[in-house]
Amino acid sequence: MFDKILIANRGEIALRVIRACREMGIKSVAVHSTADADAMHVRMADESVCIGPPSGTQSYLSIPAIISACEITGAQAIHPGYGFLSENATFVQVVEDHQITFIGPSAEHIRVMGDKITAKETARNLGIPVVPGSDGGVPDLASAKAIGEEFGYPVIVKATAGGGGRGMKLARSAEEMETAFPSARSEAKAAFGNDEVYIEKYLGKPRHIEIQVFGDGRGHAVHLGERDCSLQRRHQKVFEEAPGPSITAEERARIGKICAEAVARINYIGAGTVEFLYEDGEFYFIEMNTRLQVEHPVTEAIFGVDLVREQIRAAAGETMSFAQEDLSINGHAIEIRINAEKLPSFSPSPGTISQYHAPGGLGVRMDSALYDGYSIPPYYDSLIGKLIVHGRDRPEALARLGRALSEIIVDGIDTTIPLFNALLAEEDVLTGNYDIHWLEHWLDENLA
Ligand code: ADP
């Protein structure tokens, strides 16, 4: 096992990894930008290294700075968290070239899954059902229109290098394709430096269902059921739950087995998530994330496992601490993402926290790097906390969420907390009757 791990991230996820390290008796090293000198992850780690100025590209995304921090502190492994360098194959290669262990999959697996066209191709070859659409990149408008005709409108134009819902445009007709195609391309170019796009059949009322998988790198893998992350704004998740209210035990076993067998076949190591759109009883692969997800705690809650601990063990060459038959679902869990944003525009709302009180009690977990007097810097993601509740069943989890929301205090800035209070009054949320478009419609009607 490692003696010391460096965490190449910030915020709540850095804390999450530091906590796992401490429980395992492993020393932790935080890295931080000058803007994060007072951040909670710096205070909580055993050691810390300043790696650059505020801008993410010059700090948390700076490969030389992070490698140097490892060498200075003698850290033997790097946990990347999510975002930043977590799915950067070049980074993984450089880490390995320096004889440091990357806590995550191989550079090759990240590369294959990072490019969405290759990912779909790989998924199809591994027996995973995919969304119907173009075979690979679509070079020009004429081809885009031909594909629109072939699959039937509406279709969605998506960036090959996509992520975070960017570079994605809906076309309901050939006419709309004339603007959707070039605008997806230019958005992709601006966001990812790569303007290649592909086209998929647009699903009208799917749910976003993702399967958590875990591999040992030696041909064994398990699945830890699904998460339903359908409540989204601009293709970004805001509320996640497990198990999915619409998924039966038979469907879970079927799709879970397909995913576990697929990753086992490629000797995948560590945590991964296979994302699907789910409509009329069918699963359609959209992408695979080769890292820990923001919403991993709902899976941890219902299976009673520590996924970060498991990632660290896998990277150290240890065997998985559970087999498929050891994994059974206990109750229901919900996570909400609390962002420093002002409603109804969702515009960023950085600033100083004048008062912070985390909710507690039975079945409540608050993953956050906030503290009284903390100043949220304006340079990074607006996620400031995740509230996770666990109950014996879905109604109990919902009641617990409402109760926890009544306790939480985040003063001094605007947050998305009021959104969740409002959602808990909605019949569709209470019954789990929603698809990926539900929240957008609700926001248009209720917050516009
Ligand atoms: P990103 O990597 O940018 O997050 P994804 O491919 O994971 O992109 O898609 C993000 C979200 O966009 C999905 O959860 C879903 O809400 C929507 N989406 C993606 N593909 C389709 C599709 N073919 N039809 C309808 N909605 C889609």
Side-chain angles (χ1 to χ4, degrees):
M1 187 42 73
F2 311 111
D3 300 315
K4 199 187 264 190
I5 292 175
L6 180 141
I7 298 114
N9 217 302
R10 62 183 300 283
E12 68 86 19
I13 194 60
L15 247 61
R16 170 70 188 87
V17 180
I18 292 168
R19 286 173 168 147
C21 288
R22 189 147 297 157
E23 290 180 15
M24 297 174 80
I26 299 168
K27 293 254 177 299
S28 56
V29 180
V31 293
H32 66 90
S33 70
T34 51
D36 274 342
D38 288 329
M40 193 62 156
H41 74 286
V42 175
R43 297 179 176 203
M44 215 145 105
D46 293 302
E47 288 174 64
S48 64
V49 182
C50 181
I51 52 165
S55 137
T57 40
Q58 292 178 74
S59 52
Y60 300 102
L61 288 167
S62 168
I63 297 177
I66 289 167
I67 299 289
S68 305
C70 252
E71 291 187 332
I72 293 165
T73 56
Q76 299 136 321
I78 296 181
H79 194 300
Y82 52 68
F84 291 124
L85 294 168
S86 62
E87 291 179 290
N88 184 315
T90 307
F91 175 59
V92 177
Q93 198 58 62
V94 174
V95 168
E96 282 167 4
D97 290 347
H98 284 78
Q99 275 76 52
I100 301 164
T101 303
F102 179 75
I103 302 174
S106 67
E108 184 49 28
H109 288 154
I110 292 176
R111 200 170 288 123
V112 168
M113 292 300 171
D115 171 271
K116 295 204 177 186
I117 292 176
T118 318
K120 268 184 95 170
E121 185 64 35
T122 308
R124 200 184 289 120
N125 292 338
L126 289 169
I128 297 175
V130 304
V131 187
S134 60
D135 288 325
V138 179
D140 50 44
L141 182 58
S143 322
K145 284 183 169 172
I147 289 160
E149 292 308 321
E150 184 187 342
F151 289 95
Y153 289 99
V155 295
I156 188 163
V157 188
K158 298 170 73 168
T160 305
R166 282 171 302 171
M168 219 182 283
K169 293 283 176 244
L170 172 65
R172 274 172 295 234
S173 61
E175 198 188 340
E176 281 191 18
M177 184 59 92
E178 290 184 12
T179 47
F181 184 78
S183 84
R185 268 191 111 138
S186 58
E187 206 174 297
K189 178 86 188 162
F192 314 109
N194 173 356
D195 70 354
E196 188 179 44
V197 296
Y198 65 107
I199 294 177
E200 275 178 359
K201 178 87 195 139
Y202 179 77
L203 298 170
K205 48 176 179 53
R207 301 177 79 118
H208 175 112
I209 304 287
E210 56 184 37
I211 305 293
Q212 175 73 56
V213 290
F214 203 98
D216 71 354
R218 295 185 291 269
H220 301 107
V222 299
H223 72 85
L224 293 98
E226 77 286 0
R227 295 181 284 260
D228 187 325
C229 313
S230 301
L231 290 177
Q232 303 181 350
R233 176 179 173 269
R234 303 208 170 151
H235 307 302
Q236 299 205 32
K237 301 159 188 167
V238 304
F239 175 112
E240 302 106 344
E241 61 182 308
S246 64
I247 303 297
T248 63
E250 292 70 38
E251 283 175 311
R252 173 176 313 117
R254 175 174 71 88
I255 195 70
K257 185 161 183 276
I258 290 174
C259 294
E261 284 179 359
V263 297
R265 218 150 92 209
I266 58 172
N267 293 326
Y268 187 85
I269 184 163
T273 298
V274 188
E275 296 194 334
F276 295 93
L277 295 176
Y278 172 76
E279 191 170 82
D280 298 330
E282 298 294 334
F283 290 91
Y284 302 97
F285 173 88
I286 45 174
E287 67 167 339
M288 176 167 177
N289 291 319
T290 50
R291 56 169 164 81
L292 192 69
Q293 305 263 108
V294 176
E295 58 274 21
H296 75 277
V298 292
T299 300
E300 294 187 322
I302 62 166
F303 284 100
V305 300
D306 178 338
L307 286 170
V308 177
R309 179 189 183 96
E310 217 56 43
Q311 285 186 299
I312 295 170
R313 285 173 51 96
E318 298 193 4
T319 52
M320 272 192 274
S321 51
F322 40 72
Q324 191 69 58
E325 55 273 21
D326 303 327
L327 295 166
S328 64
I329 295 178
N330 170 22
H332 197 96
I334 300 173
E335 172 182 286
I336 58 160
R337 297 195 191 190
I338 300 171
N339 289 348
E341 287 170 356
K342 189 173 169 59
L343 300 174
S345 62
F346 291 87
S347 52
S349 168
T352 300
I353 305 290
S354 55
Q355 208 194 147
Y356 173 61
H357 175 76
L362 181 65
V364 174
R365 165 175 171 184
M366 182 77 196
D367 277 20
S368 170
L370 294 184
Y371 59 85
D372 278 338
Y374 174 58
S375 275
I376 298 167
Y379 311 103
Y380 315 106
D381 195 84
S382 62
L383 181 77
I384 52 164
K386 307 187 308 205
L387 169 57
I388 305 103
V389 292
H390 181 214
R392 284 172 298 181
D393 52 22
R394 192 168 188 273
E396 187 171 274
L398 285 164
R400 194 155 277 159
L401 177 59
R403 189 271 289 169
L405 283 168
S406 75
E407 292 177 14
I408 192 169
I409 299 171
V410 182
D411 281 348
I413 58 157
D414 287 295
T415 76
T416 51
I417 293 171
L419 168 68
F420 300 105
N421 282 314
L423 288 179
L424 280 182
E426 287 296 327
E427 190 58 25
D428 286 341
V429 173
L430 298 179
T431 57
N433 175 34
Y434 51 74
D435 60 29
I436 60 167
H437 306 298
W438 188 94
L439 184 60
E440 292 281 358
H441 293 308
W442 184 88
L443 289 169
D444 284 346
E445 279 166 27
N446 293 275
L447 277 194

